[in-house]
Amino acid sequence: MATAASPTTTISGLAAVRAEIVRACRDAGREVAEVELVAVSKTFPAEAIEPVIAAGQRVFGENRVQEAKTKWPPLLEKYSGIALHLIGPLQSNKAKEAVALFDAIHSVDRRSLCEALAKEISKQGRQPLLFAEINTGAEPQKAGVLPQDADAFLTACRDSYGLTMSGLMCIPPLDQAPGPHFALTAKIAQRNGLKLLSMGMSADFGVAISLGATHVRIGSAIFGGRT
Ligand SMILES: *Cc1c(COP(=O)(O)O)cnc(C)c1O
């Protein structure tokens, strides 16, 4: 796990991110309440997370089921009102654990996973918010549905698997301006009647908010660098 920054650093990082969200919303003529901050705590230990919880943050993002499963249950017992979001790739054989632990899954990207999720959602009677991940840059190493396949995939989510999809997620290519990727994701969401947009990370969440992000996933700007 990454080394924890001092609580003071983490708290000022959180405050700076919140202030930046307020400013980005004001610039975009949006309500601050429309944008959920998902504090990405992946690789950081519980000691690094607790000061952030104490500062009032309640929504956290993790990218691995296994890590979340060992780290979060004691924290969930100790603090109320916490929501966990899975932002990393999900293997179908972990769908059961993911549905049990997470309140949102941002990485729905293939039919086999839809099938596994649908089964667990009905079995467990739990309904996490579901986002389809779009590979807007068509990067071969990256997960996600290709933009040209997105409409058919979303139709299949609904009609073939009975899933209620709430939104889309994207991770723009590192070496490109993120704006066009966010705009494309927003356009696909709009034509499919999806309201939520998970886009924007530490480096680009202001741009994402200007293009309609409802969930910004922010790690290093709060917790510091990951090693
Ligand atoms: C790690 C991660 C983030 C957070 O990235 P930062 O640049 O540290 O803010 C956001 N989204 C996903 C999918 C991630 O894996």
Side-chain angles (χ1 to χ4, degrees):
M1 287 210 182
T3 338
S6 81
T8 326
T9 310
T10 311
I11 294 317
S12 66
L14 176 67
V17 166
R18 282 185 178 153
E20 190 57 37
I21 290 173
V22 170
R23 187 164 47 173
C25 285
R26 187 171 351 105
D27 289 351
R30 301 183 58 198
E31 299 289 334
V32 176
E34 290 172 33
V35 180
E36 186 87 77
L37 167 58
V38 181
V40 177
S41 49
K42 68 184 185 195
T43 79
F44 288 97
E47 306 86 84
I49 298 171
E50 292 204 64
V52 176
I53 299 175
Q57 178 64 27
R58 283 296 179 274
V59 182
F60 289 88
E62 289 285 343
N63 69 335
R64 305 178 70 132
V65 175
Q66 197 54 43
E67 180 184 339
K69 232 182 70 174
T70 52
K71 202 161 77 180
W72 278 96
L75 292 170
L76 295 174
E77 217 159 90
K78 191 161 164 192
Y79 301 97
S80 64
I82 288 178
L84 294 182
H85 289 219
L86 179 64
I87 60 170
L90 176 59
Q91 292 169 275
S92 300
N93 64 9
K94 297 248 169 73
K96 180 179 177 178
E97 293 164 302
V99 169
L101 183 63
F102 290 97
D103 301 283
I105 296 172
H106 293 232
S107 50
V108 180
D109 68 350
R110 52 195 201 283
R111 291 171 190 237
S112 54
L113 178 59
C114 289
E115 190 176 347
L117 287 172
K119 187 174 131 211
E120 287 305 325
I121 285 167
S122 79
K123 219 170 160 181
Q124 299 184 32
R126 268 180 64 86
Q127 174 68 73
L129 279 180
L130 299 177
F131 296 77
E133 180 173 351
I134 308 298
N135 185 355
T136 54
E139 295 173 279
Q141 84 285 7
K142 211 171 252 178
V145 179
L146 292 174
Q148 63 268 31
D149 298 334
D151 295 352
F153 179 72
L154 291 163
T155 302
C157 287
R158 186 188 62 213
D159 295 346
S160 308
Y161 303 103
L163 291 177
T164 301
M165 302 302 293
S166 293
L168 301 181
M169 182 270 246
C170 75
I171 309 170
L174 271 175
D175 59 349
Q176 292 179 27
H181 295 273
F182 296 149
L184 173 60
T185 304
K187 189 171 131 193
I188 297 170
Q190 190 180 28
R191 71 172 180 245
N192 284 280
L194 300 177
K195 295 214 166 66
L196 304 184
L197 290 169
S198 167
M199 49 192 211
M201 315 193 342
S202 292
D204 55 19
F205 66 93
V207 181
I209 288 172
S210 75
L211 291 165
T214 62
H215 291 68
V216 290
R217 311 177 309 268
I218 300 177
S220 48
I222 298 171
F223 291 99
R226 294 175 296 268
T227 39

